Amino acid sequence: IEALKSFTSFNPSYRTFGYLLKDMLISCSFGSVSCNLSDFEEVYMFDYTNCFKFNSNGERVIGRRGYLYGLQ
């Protein structure tokens, strides 16, 4: 297991074990403002392979709550 963790930390071929966001994201909006692939950061998690983190730079903020104003 440690060898696999080391392998994935420096070898981008780990991406072949899961899906890429560009293959899954159909549309995106946050607080009624459109978003796209550049709003996501790709991260690798050993247990889940490819994961995607939205708004990792914290630029998008919203002052309202509810399902209409979050990530859709």
Side-chain angles (χ1 to χ4, degrees):
I1 292 176
E2 288 302 316
L4 184 57
K5 286 181 182 179
S6 296
F7 168 78
T8 58
S9 67
F10 68 88
N11 190 332
S13 66
Y14 71 82
R15 297 172 78 193
T16 60
F17 296 127
Y19 293 99
L20 299 177
L21 185 60
K22 69 179 184 73
D23 297 329
M24 298 186 296
L25 188 65
I26 296 170
S27 67
C28 175
S29 66
F30 181 74
S32 74
V33 176
S34 183
C35 51
N36 58 43
L37 291 173
S38 66
D39 293 306
F40 292 84
E41 176 186 356
E42 182 179 359
V43 293
Y44 177 81
M45 301 187 79
F46 182 72
D47 293 334
Y48 304 106
T49 62
N50 301 338
C51 294
F52 307 95
K53 187 180 198 182
F54 178 75
N55 196 28
S56 63
N57 59 11
E59 287 182 358
R60 293 190 180 237
V61 274
I62 149 174
R64 302 177 86 173
R65 61 182 149 176
Y67 72 93
L68 294 176
Y69 305 107
L71 181 62
Q72 294 184 359

